[in-house]
């Protein structure tokens, strides 16, 4: 039995589709981070694995309400780690590429470099990694990239890179992307597809998602190319030299365990083919 937190969230919904027999942690326990209630529920379900996706992941919301961010992004995974330790469940929890925000090093970033996150969300995720692994060394902490998918019928869909670019194209709006910002962007269905393998990983921290050597301007251009809209690139895209940032993760460690994501550009092509989006 698998137990999923955040089953109605962007990642959690896709994981539940992959594992239709999975149980869901009640949303009130996720919201409250009630350690005793979580322990009792995990004991009752007695899962072999816990996939922890619930979080407050909006960076602006975390900055405005650091207390709520700390409860959701630190105290909740800590409570789950304690419950997993008590029951012998394998905990696989999502962290974030935002732990790398503030890193000045260029090029792909391995898990081992010194970190000093530049925002409340990243700070909480890094603290959660450390505290969870102190409690449960066999836990798996997945540093995920920004993820995307098409909206699902009847479900809330937070803005993501694919939707943002499609919306601007439909409206004929010009968007500006940095030529100096690097980050992986990952098709969320591939994230969900690898979760069974992720549950077999040795404990520790892993960069988990698509690598991307392209700056954000060229990443947007790659998506337009996949959509068949390359001829409209000049009208839809502009570049800037501002917003220097590097969240480009080196995913060599996860590949050593047989988890091989598409590059960001390859993921765009896969998603466009899945949905028949090419125009």
């Amino acid at each position: 039995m698998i137990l999923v937190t955040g089953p109605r969230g962007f990642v959690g919904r896709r994981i539940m589709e992959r594992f239709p027999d999975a149980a869901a942690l009640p949303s009130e326990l996720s919201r409250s981070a009630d350690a005793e209630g979580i322990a009792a529920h995990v004991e009752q379900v007695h899962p072999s694995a816990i996939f922890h996706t619930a979080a407050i992941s909006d960076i602006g919301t975390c900055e405005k309400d650091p207390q709520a961010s700390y409860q959701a992004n630190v105290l909740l995974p800590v409570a789950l780690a304690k419950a997993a330790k008590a029951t012998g469940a394998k905990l696989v929890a999502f962290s974030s590429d935002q732990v790398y925000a503030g890193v000045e090093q260029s090029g792909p970033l391995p898990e081992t470099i010194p970190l000093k996150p530049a925002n409340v969300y990243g700070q909480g995720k890094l603290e959660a990694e450390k505290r969870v692994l102190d409690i449960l060394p066999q836990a798996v902490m997945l540093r995920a990239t920004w993820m995307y998918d098409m909206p699902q019928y009847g479900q809330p869909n937070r803005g993501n890179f694919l939707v943002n670019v499609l919306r601007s194209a439909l409206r004929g709006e010009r968007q500006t992307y940095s030529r100096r910002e690097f980050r992986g962007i990952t098709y969320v269905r591939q994230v969900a597809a690898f979760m069974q393998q992720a549950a077999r990983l040795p404990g520790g921290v892993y960069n988990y998602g698509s690598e991307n050597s392209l700056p954000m301007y060229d990443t947007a251009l790659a998506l337009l190319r996949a959509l068949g809209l390359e001829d409209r690139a000049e009208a839809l895209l502009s570049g800037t030299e501002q917003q220097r940032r590097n969240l480009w993760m080196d995913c060599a460690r996860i590949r050593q365990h047989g988890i091989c994501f598409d590059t960001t550009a390859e993921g765009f092509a896969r998603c466009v083919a899945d949905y028949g989006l090419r125009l």
Side-chain angles (χ1 to χ4, degrees):
M1 171 66 72
I2 293 169
L3 178 65
V4 178
T5 74
R8 297 182 181 178
F10 186 72
V11 181
R13 287 201 309 271
R14 276 73 177 184
I15 290 176
M16 293 295 288
E17 290 174 3
R18 299 286 304 191
F19 301 93
D21 295 329
L25 186 76
S27 57
E28 60 270 19
L29 292 179
S30 291
R31 285 194 298 268
S32 66
D34 174 9
E36 290 185 3
I38 289 169
H41 188 81
V42 172
E43 175 63 34
Q44 179 183 0
V45 175
H46 213 84
S48 58
I50 301 170
F51 292 161
H52 173 47
T53 74
I56 296 177
S57 57
D58 182 79
I59 293 173
T61 299
C62 292
E63 295 292 331
K64 292 176 184 176
D65 194 345
Q67 184 175 354
S69 174
Y70 193 80
Q71 179 171 295
N73 297 330
V74 180
L75 298 184
L76 175 56
V78 165
L80 288 164
K82 292 177 179 177
K85 182 177 181 179
T87 60
K90 179 78 171 193
L91 176 61
V92 182
F94 278 83
S95 184
S96 170
D97 62 359
Q98 288 297 322
V99 301
Y100 294 108
V103 171
E104 296 183 1
Q105 179 177 321
S106 60
L109 305 173
E111 293 90 343
T112 52
I113 66 170
L115 297 174
K116 190 176 180 181
N119 54 60
V120 169
Y121 176 62
Q123 291 161 5
K125 285 295 188 179
L126 184 59
E127 181 177 343
E129 288 179 5
K130 294 176 179 177
R131 291 183 64 178
V132 165
L133 289 170
D134 282 345
I135 296 165
L136 190 66
Q138 63 267 40
V140 172
M141 306 299 293
L142 303 175
R143 290 177 179 169
T145 70
W146 191 10
M147 290 172 271
Y148 65 88
D149 197 4
M150 287 294 288
Q152 290 184 308
Y153 178 76
Q155 299 288 345
N157 192 74
R158 196 175 60 196
N160 61 70
F161 190 76
L162 172 67
V163 171
N164 293 348
V165 170
L166 277 173
R167 184 180 291 121
S168 67
L170 289 170
R171 294 174 177 173
E173 297 172 346
R174 189 177 177 88
Q175 291 197 328
T176 300
Y177 294 94
S178 175
R179 301 181 189 272
R180 303 179 67 202
E181 180 183 9
F182 293 82
R183 68 183 305 185
I185 306 176
T186 309
Y187 186 21
V188 71
R189 295 189 180 278
Q190 197 166 40
V191 168
F194 283 131
M195 287 302 293
Q196 194 163 28
Q197 287 172 258
R200 296 194 290 267
L201 290 168
V205 175
Y206 297 85
N207 292 337
Y208 187 75
S210 293
E211 291 184 282
N212 185 20
S213 61
L214 302 174
M216 290 303 292
Y217 174 86
D218 293 288
T219 299
L221 182 60
L223 177 53
L224 290 180
R225 187 177 296 117
L227 291 165
L229 295 174
E230 186 177 7
D231 60 339
R232 294 184 59 194
E234 188 173 343
L236 294 174
L237 299 180
S238 61
T240 177
E241 299 300 317
Q242 297 179 351
Q243 195 173 346
R244 180 186 181 278
R245 184 170 64 161
N246 184 28
L247 301 179
W248 172 12
M249 297 193 301
D250 180 347
C251 297
R253 187 181 186 202
I254 203 98
R255 284 197 300 274
Q256 291 172 359
H257 294 276
I259 298 177
C260 302
F261 282 89
D262 293 335
T263 65
T264 291
E266 290 168 346
F268 291 155
R270 182 187 296 272
C271 180
V272 166
D274 284 352
Y275 285 100
L277 294 175
R278 187 170 176 84
L279 302 175

